[in-house]
């Protein structure tokens, strides 16, 4: 029976070659898309999931009520971990750490060798909570020695060429003008790429306290500090109960700080569910995971619809086969199976093609998604592909199987077969569905593209182009002024200055938050400590007053605000007025120190020439290569052997929109795919329809119909379907893109042209697809098609 | 073997009831060779379909082999088709994707006959109808008469008791038609009950008994003297 079925299926494929290829192409690209997205989604879902005790590791988060809204942050005080471990019996271990990106890179020196690396100061139980496997050293004592350092495998290799015997050796680390000699207590395996904490070596938090002068027992509950606190709960702890206990800890400890509550967040959830809106969890990267999963499902669905439509369309040619089989004793069940096996086989074949496609596309896909994805056949991926394939086969095959096997043999014997109304409707409905999805895709692509173009061309209020920056390392520290003036002497350099931190420091945008008192209220205000000439370098425009100048010695006590800040203060003629003890020197026009997702908020510049940790250099356009070479020479004359790591400000700006650019690029691919697969299906349907109507076409021609009339007649049905799908798609896509644009404080206006354009694109592709066939059909000599009967 | 009592078949449209068959009473005994004649639209095919369990009458009684066979479950009906009743069609209705051999084999597959037994059964029939050389050809490569021979071979391979033929010679020229009718006669001689619908007076004469239908009624029922 099985052999018999396979034989028939194989011959059927041969007989209906074009629909076989349409299905193969459609299903394999659909499956390839799904597999690629599966790989990406799987990678996202497994981020931070490698910690053995992951289900018990929590981060302590803080909700701060500020001016009626709640700001959620992971920043806590250094002693919180200790207090929690002491006071809450449910907590097994707790540790304080410095947050990621807290410091610029450290320099590690060993004799003549210097290596840069990312450091993290951690409490002594850090390695007992998180699973970063050790290659050397004892987990329990490794962080006990205040002056110890634990380094990564690759750091050990670049320092010593081997990981053997490095325990006990001494290295010196340096950042800004701070340096310490520490001894290596252990080596850990490199932090996996799917970890949100990335570091090259660990230092002890006790050492950090020494550095910045926090005394052992000092506890100021009303102050705020930037550290992260992680806890490991005892097994079978009720998290809800513990959360209520933890919530008002600060309120209990500090009488004058009643607006801060604590809660626990599962560490493993942080990566995907990192956003908070007014104290309530509001998704995060999970939104993209969901979006792309849905896209994958839809593309596969479009391919399945092709299979269904083509199978039922060719039913008229297979109805005899069904009738005969029934007459000679085939049960419906048997026939259903035959068609299911047919779709199974086709899907399996498509899977093979899809796997080849995935293999070919993976490098590009990894590049777009910024991940290192690999096609490794473990149980998970095998299982996933088997399930995806089976589901596809069932989805694609079930309708034709049930439909075809449902014919009664009497229809065959009466030699009558006409498509029922319901069947026609369902086929039309499916085509409309396909095209509606395509149109939604196209609208989204157009809008996302326009918004990104808008971002790129928007006047930010500062000039990000041709500005590069690098950290002050080694001997530059302490000699910054001399260094900067030497930089200015390089011929391609327009200007140079320095500041504390980075101008665009995080994807969310720059500025160090600071608190000020104004009219009896506390205000949180972003700001930057800068050197002379930084504002000029960045092209930030002065609106009132003046900028910092070396000519006035007292400028160090004065500040420059942006317009938003002055508005928030409610000041008129602000120059010379005093806010929180500091005189306003000038006001700058508003500029986007954060991404365009955010409204421009109050910002403050302070003059602190000595605080600079990064040097900014504006380069004359066209001289980049030469100037950078010169800069490198100068840098290395200060720091021989150290790599000159520089970045352009524009790169940081672009990094703020990495996510949307990814979405833009991917959605463009997916939109094209969706449209192509839909058109393939339309092509197949059109050829069946034309074949069915050859006789009609011939008779019409004999009766005097012109070619154009024939073409219009044949195109008419499809045109109607596509137009209906456009109308179905428009409200849905309008809703979707409006929601997406709401993410931006500064955005394009939705124009009806985007929707109209998408409709035109869909209609034109559809016409192109069926046009060639209808023209050919209209050209056939009627004598031929009539004679064949 | 077949007992039809007061069989009606009609279609209701908005204003009137159209009878295809009206008050048919017919008994067919085992081993008979019955020819059914009549003009187009006289209900011949409908009668055959009702006898072949492919259509059900609007009213009346039908006993097949002593059992009532109205409103059968699919499983039982499929069983009758596998083991008891077989068909030959005017348009042959061979499956185009299958070779001669595979077409003949199909009913045995649904019957669940083992592959080894199938082989010898198909070989026997190919031999009997002299089409061994054609076994790997596809239907389109055969002449009409040959295709109908394959159709007969397929119909009788499961050794049915009742063979229903709906104008088996309708698409054939007379020599080929005669060959087919001779084959049917031979099968009848071996004991198979055959009911055969035809337009052709000459071919009708192969039957041992002829009924003539007109407007859904049996007008005459004659036994041919042999």
């Amino acid at each position: 029976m099985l052999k018999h079925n396979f034989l028939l299926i194989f011959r059927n494929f041969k007989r209906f070659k074009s629909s076989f290829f349409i299905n193969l192409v459609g299903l394999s690209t659909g499956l390839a898309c799904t597999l690629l997205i599966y790989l990406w989604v799987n990678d996202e879902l497994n981020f931070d999931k490698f910690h053995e005790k992951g289900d018990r590791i929590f981060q302590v988060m803080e909700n701060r009520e500020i001016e009626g809204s709640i700001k959620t942050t992971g920043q806590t005080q250094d002693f919180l971990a200790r207090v929690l471990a002491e006071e809450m019996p449910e907590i097994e271990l707790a540790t304080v750490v410095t947050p990621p990106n807290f410091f610029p890179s450290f320099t590690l020196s060993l004799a003549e060798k210097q290596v840069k690396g990312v450091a993290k100061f951690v409490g002594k139980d850090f390695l007992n909570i998180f699973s970063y496997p050790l290659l050397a050293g004892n987990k329990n004592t490794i962080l006990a020695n205040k002056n110890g350092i634990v380094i990564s495998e690759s750091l050990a290799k670049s320092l010593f060429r081997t990981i053997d015997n490095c325990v006990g050796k001494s290295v010196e680390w340096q950042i800004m003008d701070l340096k310490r000699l520490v001894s290596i207590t252990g080596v850990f395996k490199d932090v996996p790429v799917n970890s949100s904490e990335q570091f090259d070596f660990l230092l002890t938090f006790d050492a950090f306290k020494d550095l910045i002068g926090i005394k052992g027992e000092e506890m100021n509950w009303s102050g705020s500090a930037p550290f992260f606190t992680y806890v490991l709960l005892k097994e079978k702890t009720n998290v809800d109960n513990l959360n209520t206990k933890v919530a008002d800890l600060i309120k209990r400890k500090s009488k004058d700080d009643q607006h801060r509550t604590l809660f626990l967040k599962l560490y493993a959830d942080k990566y995907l569910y990192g956003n908070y809106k007014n104290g309530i969890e509001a998704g995060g990267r999970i939104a993209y995971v969901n979006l792309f999963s849905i896209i994958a499902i839809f593309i596969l669905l479009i391919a399945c619809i092709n299979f269904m439509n083509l199978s039922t369309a060719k039913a008229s040619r297979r109805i005899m086969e069904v009738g005969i089989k029934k007459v000679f004793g085939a049960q419906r069940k048997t026939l259903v199976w035959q068609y299911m096996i047919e779709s199974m086989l086709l899907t399996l074949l498509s899977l093979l093609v899809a796997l080849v496609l995935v293999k070919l596309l993976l490098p590009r896909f990894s590049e777009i998604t910024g991940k290192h994805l690999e096609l490794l056949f473990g149980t998970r991926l095998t299982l996933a592909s088997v399930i995806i394939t089976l589901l596809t086969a069932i989805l694609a095959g079930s309708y034709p199987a049930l439909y075809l096997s449902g014919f009664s043999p009497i229809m065959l014997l009466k030699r009558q077969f006409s498509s029922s109304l319901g069947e026609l409707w369902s086929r039309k409905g499916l085509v409309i569905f396909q095209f509606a999805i395509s149109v939604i895709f196209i609208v989204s692509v157009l809008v996302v593209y326009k918004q990104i173009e808008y971002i790129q061309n928007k006047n930010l209020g500062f000039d990000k182009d041709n500005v590069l920056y690098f950290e002050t390392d080694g001997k530059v520290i302490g000699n910054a002024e001399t260094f900067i003036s030497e930089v200015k002497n390089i011929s391609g350099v327009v200007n140079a200055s320095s500041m504390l931190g980075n101008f665009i420091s995080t994807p969310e945008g720059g500025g160090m938050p600071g608190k000020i008192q104004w009219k009896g209220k506390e205000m949180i205000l972003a700001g930057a400590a800068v050197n002379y000439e930084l504002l000029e370098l960045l092209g930030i425009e002065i609106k009132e007053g003046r900028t910092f100048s070396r000519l006035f010695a007292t400028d160090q006590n004065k500040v420059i605000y942006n317009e938003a800040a002055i508005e928030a203060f409610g000041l008129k003629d602000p120059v010379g007025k005093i806010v929180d003890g500091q005189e306003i020197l000038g006001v700058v026009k508003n500029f986007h120190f954060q991404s365009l997702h955010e409204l421009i908020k109050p910002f403050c510049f302070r003059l602190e020439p000595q605080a600079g940790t990064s040097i900014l250099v504006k380069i004359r356009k066209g001289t980049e290569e030469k100037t950078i070479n010169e800069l490198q020479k100068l840098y290395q004359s200060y720091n021989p052997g150290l790599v000159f790591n520089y970045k352009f400000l524009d790169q940081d700006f672009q990094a703020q929109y990495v996510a949307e650019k990814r979405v833009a690029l991917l959605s463009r691919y997916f939109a094209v795919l969706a449209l192509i697969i839909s058109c393939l299906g339309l092509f197949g349907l059109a050829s069946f329809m034309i074949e069915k109507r050859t006789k009609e076409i011939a008779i019409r021609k004999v009766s005097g119909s012109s070619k154009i009339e024939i073409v219009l007649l044949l195109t008419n049905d499809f045109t109607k379907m596509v137009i209906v799908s456009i109308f179905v798609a428009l409200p849905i896509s309008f809703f979707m893109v409006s929601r997406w644009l709401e993410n931006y404080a500064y955005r394009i206006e939705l124009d009806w042209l985007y929707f109209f354009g998408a409709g035109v694109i869909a209609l034109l592709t559809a016409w192109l697809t069926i046009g060639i066939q209808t023209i050919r059909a209209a050209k056939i000599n009627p004598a031929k098609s009539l004679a064949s009967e | 073997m077949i007992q039809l009592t007061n069989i009606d078949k009609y279609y209701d449209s908005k204003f009137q009831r159209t009878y295809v068959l009206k008050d048919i009473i017919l008994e067919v005994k085992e081993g008979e060779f019955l020819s059914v004649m009549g003009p187009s639209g006289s209900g011949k095919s409908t009668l055959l379909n009702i006898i072949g369990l492919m259509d059900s009458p609007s009213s009346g009684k039908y006993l097949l082999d002593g059992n009532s066979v109205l409103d059968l479950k699919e499983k039982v009906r499929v069983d009758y088709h596998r083991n008891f009743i077989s068909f030959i069609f005017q348009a042959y209705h061979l499956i185009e994707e299958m070779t001669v051999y595979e077409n003949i084999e199909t009913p045995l597959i649904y019957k669940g006959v083992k592959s080894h037994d199938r082989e010898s059964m198909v070989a026997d029939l190919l031999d009997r109808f002299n089409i061994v050389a054609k076994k790997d050809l596809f239907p389109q490569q055969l002449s009409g008469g040959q295709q109908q021979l394959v159709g007969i071979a397929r119909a009788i391979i499961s050794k049915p008791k009742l063979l229903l033929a709906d104008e088996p010679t309708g698409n054939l020229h007379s020599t080929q038609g005669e060959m087919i009718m001779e084959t049917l006669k031979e099968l009848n001689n071996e004991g198979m009950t055959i009911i055969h619908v035809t337009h052709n007076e000459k071919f009708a004469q192969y039957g041992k008994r002829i009924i003539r239908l007109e407007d859904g009624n049996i007008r005459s029922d004659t036994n041919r003297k042999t």
Side-chain angles (χ1 to χ4, degrees):
Chain A
M1 178 74 101
L2 206 63
K3 192 183 134 207
H4 166 84
N5 274 339
F6 278 134
L7 200 70
L8 264 188
I9 290 164
F10 172 68
R11 291 199 185 131
N12 240 305
F13 285 164
K14 261 175 78 177
R15 184 170 158 208
F16 299 104
K17 274 197 201 78
S18 67
S19 50
F20 171 71
F21 279 110
I22 289 170
N23 284 328
L24 189 69
V25 172
L27 285 174
S28 54
T29 37
L31 282 173
C33 267
T34 316
L35 284 177
L36 284 174
I37 290 175
Y38 168 80
L39 288 175
W40 179 78
V41 166
N42 190 42
D43 190 81
E44 286 284 282
L45 292 179
N46 280 314
F47 226 86
D48 284 339
K49 297 276 159 69
F50 59 89
H51 300 288
E52 281 156 35
K53 299 168 194 159
D55 55 332
R56 292 191 284 137
I57 303 175
F58 289 81
Q59 180 174 9
V60 184
M61 308 284 288
E62 198 176 296
N63 275 334
R64 294 179 188 163
E65 272 175 61
I66 302 169
E67 291 161 15
S69 72
I70 299 171
K71 194 170 175 272
T72 304
T73 168
Q75 298 184 339
T76 55
Q77 280 151 312
D78 57 291
F79 48 85
L80 182 64
R82 180 161 45 87
V83 171
L84 283 172
E86 279 167 15
E87 296 188 6
M88 308 276 165
E90 296 90 338
I91 291 172
E92 192 175 310
L93 295 170
T95 186
V96 57
V97 305
T98 49
N101 306 321
F102 192 65
F103 304 103
S105 310
F106 280 50
T107 308
L108 285 184
S109 326
L110 177 85
E112 285 304 293
K113 210 177 252 174
Q114 289 190 315
V115 183
K116 280 191 175 185
V118 177
K120 194 172 190 67
F121 289 92
V122 299
K124 68 173 171 35
D125 286 322
F126 183 76
L127 289 168
N128 285 320
I129 296 175
F130 294 100
S131 306
Y132 298 104
L134 288 180
L135 300 172
N138 180 330
K139 196 154 84 168
N140 294 314
T141 58
I142 203 163
L143 290 164
N145 175 1
K146 182 155 73 174
N147 292 316
I149 179 172
V150 190
I151 59 176
S152 75
E153 190 181 352
S154 41
L155 194 62
K157 280 182 182 155
S158 50
L159 279 172
F160 305 103
R161 295 225 174 85
T162 168
I163 59 164
D164 302 324
N165 306 321
C166 44
V167 174
K169 288 186 178 150
S170 296
V171 288
E172 189 189 54
W173 61 254
Q174 180 181 18
I175 180 169
M176 296 183 260
D177 50 357
L178 296 169
K179 36 176 115 167
R180 287 288 185 284
L181 196 67
V182 286
S183 80
I184 296 170
T185 55
V187 179
F188 59 86
K189 245 175 119 172
D190 284 354
V191 177
V193 282
N194 59 350
S195 170
S196 50
E197 302 251 9
Q198 292 290 338
F199 49 87
D200 299 312
F201 57 94
L202 297 172
L203 296 166
T204 63
F205 201 81
D206 286 341
F208 182 76
K209 277 159 83 174
D210 277 1
L211 283 177
I212 59 167
I214 305 177
K215 295 208 182 68
E217 301 304 317
E218 204 172 88
M219 283 198 273
N220 171 16
W221 285 96
S222 25
S224 65
F227 308 110
F228 282 8
T229 303
Y230 295 121
V231 295
L232 177 71
L233 304 190
K234 288 197 176 132
E235 272 173 78
K236 291 177 192 141
T237 300
N238 185 327
V239 183
D240 293 334
N241 288 348
L242 184 58
N243 255 327
T244 45
K245 270 174 80 176
V246 163
D248 52 358
L249 186 75
I250 297 181
K251 289 182 193 172
R252 271 184 282 140
K253 297 275 178 188
S254 147
K255 286 183 189 72
D256 55 325
D257 220 334
Q258 296 300 313
H259 58 274
R260 289 156 67 194
T261 49
L262 297 177
F263 68 97
L264 301 176
K265 181 186 184 72
L266 193 65
Y267 175 73
D269 281 349
K270 209 173 120 178
Y271 179 72
L272 289 173
Y273 303 88
N275 295 358
Y276 282 86
K277 221 173 201 170
N278 212 3
I280 296 160
E281 194 180 277
R285 292 185 71 99
I286 192 72
Y288 287 114
V289 170
N290 291 339
L291 177 72
F292 282 112
S293 306
I294 290 170
I295 288 178
I297 291 169
F298 274 131
I299 288 190
L300 204 54
L301 211 56
I302 291 179
C304 287
I305 287 176
N306 279 355
F307 185 88
M308 295 183 203
N309 272 347
L310 292 178
S311 307
T312 54
K314 69 186 178 195
S316 54
R317 287 164 69 169
R318 293 185 79 171
I319 182 173
M320 196 204 59
E321 184 193 316
V322 177
I324 296 290
K325 287 183 170 168
K326 283 202 160 178
V327 165
F328 287 102
Q331 272 179 291
R332 184 161 186 194
K333 204 166 67 181
T334 325
L335 293 171
V336 169
W337 265 112
Q338 186 200 318
Y339 293 113
M340 285 309 281
I341 289 172
E342 183 172 329
S343 102
M344 217 75 94
L345 213 62
L346 188 66
T347 323
L348 217 62
L349 215 58
S350 309
L351 179 70
L352 293 180
V353 180
L355 286 175
V356 176
L357 285 175
V358 169
K359 192 92 195 154
L360 292 174
L361 295 174
L362 203 56
R364 176 88 182 110
F365 185 72
S366 296
E367 195 185 313
I368 297 171
T369 52
K371 281 187 184 289
H372 302 279
L373 297 172
E374 274 179 284
L375 193 63
L376 291 173
F377 270 95
T379 16
R380 244 186 123 109
L381 183 60
T382 315
L383 203 69
S385 13
V386 167
I387 289 172
I388 293 171
T389 310
L390 268 179
L391 282 178
T392 313
I394 290 169
L395 187 67
S398 55
Y399 177 58
L402 293 173
Y403 171 78
L404 285 168
S405 64
F407 288 125
S408 81
I410 199 86
M411 281 171 100
L412 159 81
L413 295 165
K414 283 186 175 163
R415 293 172 197 97
Q416 56 167 249
F417 171 76
S418 60
S419 308
S420 72
L421 211 61
E423 178 209 327
L424 274 176
W425 271 112
S426 63
R427 199 177 304 156
K428 276 183 187 169
L430 290 173
V431 172
I432 289 169
F433 178 77
Q434 283 184 314
F435 270 84
I437 290 177
S438 302
V439 172
I440 292 172
F441 270 128
I442 299 168
V443 172
S444 319
V445 168
L446 289 176
V447 171
V448 171
Y449 175 79
K450 276 281 160 195
Q451 173 67 17
I452 287 182
E453 197 185 61
Y454 171 82
I455 290 169
Q456 300 290 349
N457 297 331
K458 169 117 178 113
N459 180 5
L460 298 171
F462 70 93
D463 188 6
K464 63 182 166 39
D465 295 327
N466 298 314
V467 175
L468 64 77
Y469 70 90
F470 47 90
E471 289 161 6
T472 52
D473 305 296
K475 296 210 179 75
V476 178
I477 302 162
N479 297 311
E481 283 309 307
T482 338
F483 182 79
I484 289 172
S485 56
E486 281 178 51
V487 168
K488 282 184 184 167
N489 286 335
I490 297 172
S491 67
V493 171
V494 178
N495 205 346
S497 182
S498 69
M499 68 180 287
L500 176 66
N502 298 332
F503 190 66
I504 303 176
S505 57
T506 60
E508 293 82 42
M512 299 250 196
K515 272 192 224 168
I516 61 162
Q517 295 291 331
W518 174 246
K519 287 186 178 163
K521 267 201 318 194
E522 194 174 80
M523 269 179 79
I524 301 236
L525 195 79
V530 301
N531 202 341
Y532 295 106
E533 292 178 72
L534 187 84
L535 273 70
E536 291 86 334
L537 186 147
L538 290 171
I540 296 171
E541 277 183 68
I542 300 286
K543 200 185 157 204
E544 286 174 68
R546 61 174 178 84
T547 175
F548 300 120
S549 162
R550 285 178 221 271
L551 301 173
F552 302 87
T554 52
D555 277 5
Q556 296 226 15
N557 303 319
K558 298 175 183 171
V559 290
I560 298 176
Y561 286 111
N562 66 352
E563 294 167 292
I566 298 300
E567 204 174 306
F569 297 143
L571 281 178
K572 273 185 188 147
D573 299 323
V575 177
K577 295 211 168 118
I578 307 238
V579 171
D580 199 26
Q582 287 182 304
E583 188 189 323
I584 300 175
L585 182 66
V587 177
V588 292
K589 285 195 178 164
N590 277 342
F591 62 96
H592 289 275
F593 62 93
Q594 285 181 304
S595 76
L596 296 184
H597 291 283
E598 309 293 336
L599 280 168
I600 295 176
K601 296 190 188 102
F603 195 90
C604 157
F605 286 106
R606 294 181 311 278
L607 181 65
E608 290 179 39
Q610 289 75 36
T613 58
S614 57
I615 310 243
L616 287 86
V617 181
K618 172 116 182 158
I619 292 173
R620 188 168 300 122
K621 208 179 168 183
T623 65
E624 287 89 349
E625 203 181 331
K626 198 171 143 267
T627 315
I628 289 167
N629 268 333
E630 301 259 337
L631 274 171
Q632 186 167 2
K633 264 187 230 154
L634 179 67
Y635 173 86
Q636 273 160 354
S637 72
Y638 277 74
N639 295 316
L642 216 54
V643 185
F644 177 53
N645 274 330
Y646 64 91
K647 248 174 138 181
F648 279 97
L649 205 54
D650 187 50
Q651 286 175 300
D652 284 357
F653 169 75
Q654 303 297 353
Q656 295 182 317
Y657 306 100
V658 168
E660 31 271 275
K661 283 194 172 167
R662 251 169 224 166
V663 174
L665 203 57
L666 283 177
S667 59
R668 208 172 310 161
Y669 284 118
F670 291 137
V672 169
L673 264 180
L675 196 61
I676 288 179
I677 301 177
S678 305
C679 283
L680 273 176
L682 200 61
F683 183 87
L685 271 187
S687 56
F688 274 113
M689 175 207 68
I690 286 166
E691 188 185 296
K692 250 179 164 174
R693 293 173 80 171
T694 2
K695 218 164 140 190
E696 181 198 328
I697 295 166
I699 291 167
R700 280 177 192 272
K701 276 187 91 170
V702 171
S703 324
S705 184
S706 75
K707 274 179 202 161
I708 293 170
E709 280 167 322
I710 301 269
V711 170
L712 284 179
L713 174 87
L714 293 175
T715 326
N716 217 344
D717 266 356
F718 291 106
T719 309
K720 273 187 215 153
M721 280 193 264
V722 175
I723 288 176
V724 171
S725 67
I726 291 170
F727 279 102
V728 171
L730 290 190
I732 301 172
S733 50
F734 178 80
F735 173 74
M736 280 173 52
V737 294
S738 321
R739 282 266 317 255
W740 183 77
L741 283 175
E742 276 169 24
N743 286 322
Y744 294 87
Y746 301 88
R747 54 180 181 247
I748 52 166
E749 288 295 316
L750 276 180
D751 194 324
W752 65 274
L753 262 173
Y754 303 134
F755 301 95
F756 181 75
V760 168
I761 292 174
L763 203 56
L764 280 183
T765 13
W767 273 338
L768 210 67
T769 310
I770 48 180
I772 305 160
Q773 294 183 75
T774 49
I775 291 168
R776 204 169 44 198
K779 274 186 183 163
I780 294 174
N781 180 356
K784 267 190 190 160
S785 32
L786 288 175
S788 69
E789 270 297 296
Chain B
M1 178 187 255
I2 296 167
Q3 255 182 304
L4 297 175
T5 327
N6 306 330
I7 292 288
D8 283 345
K9 179 76 183 175
Y10 50 76
Y11 296 98
D12 283 330
S13 62
K14 247 179 209 161
F15 303 109
Q16 60 182 33
R17 178 168 280 188
T18 320
Y19 280 91
V20 184
L21 294 174
K22 197 163 179 170
D23 207 17
I24 298 284
I25 298 170
L26 178 69
E27 192 179 348
V28 182
K29 294 208 170 62
E30 203 171 333
E32 272 198 77
F33 190 161
L34 174 70
S35 294
V36 181
M37 290 202 70
S40 292
S42 58
K44 307 183 295 287
S45 292
T46 309
L47 179 64
L48 203 69
N49 290 345
I50 288 174
I51 293 173
L53 303 181
M54 301 226 278
D55 205 347
S56 42
S58 310
S59 65
K61 270 197 230 162
Y62 177 13
L63 296 181
L64 181 61
D65 220 16
N67 306 310
S68 173
V69 287
L70 298 179
D71 304 320
L72 289 179
K73 284 195 179 130
E74 197 207 345
K75 204 166 171 322
V76 184
R77 203 185 63 233
V78 166
D79 244 28
Y80 271 111
H81 284 152
R82 280 182 189 172
N83 303 312
F84 198 90
I85 311 169
S86 227
F87 296 84
I88 310 171
F89 308 95
Q90 177 176 6
Y92 329 126
H93 287 333
L94 301 176
I95 298 177
E96 284 174 45
E97 287 89 14
M98 291 191 197
T99 62
V100 166
Y101 183 95
E102 289 154 7
N103 262 295
I104 299 175
E105 191 189 22
T106 307
L108 296 180
I109 292 176
Y110 293 127
K111 212 172 159 178
V113 177
K114 291 222 172 61
S115 145
H116 179 75
D117 298 336
R118 291 205 301 262
E119 238 170 78
S120 63
M121 287 164 87
V122 177
D124 279 353
L125 272 184
L126 287 169
D127 203 27
R128 171 170 181 179
F129 291 149
N130 261 327
I131 43 175
V132 181
K134 311 262 192 282
K135 75 177 170 56
D136 290 325
L137 297 181
F138 285 93
Q140 309 88 289
Q141 296 165 298
L142 302 177
S143 74
Q146 286 167 337
Q147 284 193 50
Q148 195 57 293
L149 269 185
V150 176
I152 295 175
R154 178 180 63 185
I156 64 171
I157 191 142
S158 53
K159 304 206 167 64
K161 296 224 164 59
L162 175 63
L163 181 63
L164 303 175
D166 193 354
E167 306 213 28
T169 55
N171 286 7
L172 300 176
H173 58 74
S174 59
T175 359
Q176 284 182 329
E178 268 167 41
M179 173 190 76
I180 295 299
M181 289 318 293
E182 284 298 332
T183 313
L184 290 184
K185 193 172 156 190
E186 219 175 286
L187 288 171
N188 177 246
N189 288 340
E190 287 164 19
M192 197 175 286
T193 314
I194 296 176
I195 301 177
H196 155 234
V197 168
T198 184
H199 270 111
N200 188 310
E201 194 67 43
K202 189 174 132 208
F203 293 148
Q205 297 306 321
Y206 280 86
K208 289 175 185 165
R209 173 184 170 195
I210 301 172
I211 59 169
R212 286 170 204 277
L213 282 181
E214 221 168 279
D215 297 333
N217 293 308
I218 298 178
R219 274 296 136 89
S220 73
D221 187 344
T222 48
N223 279 311
R224 207 169 52 84
K225 290 157 210 122
T226 34

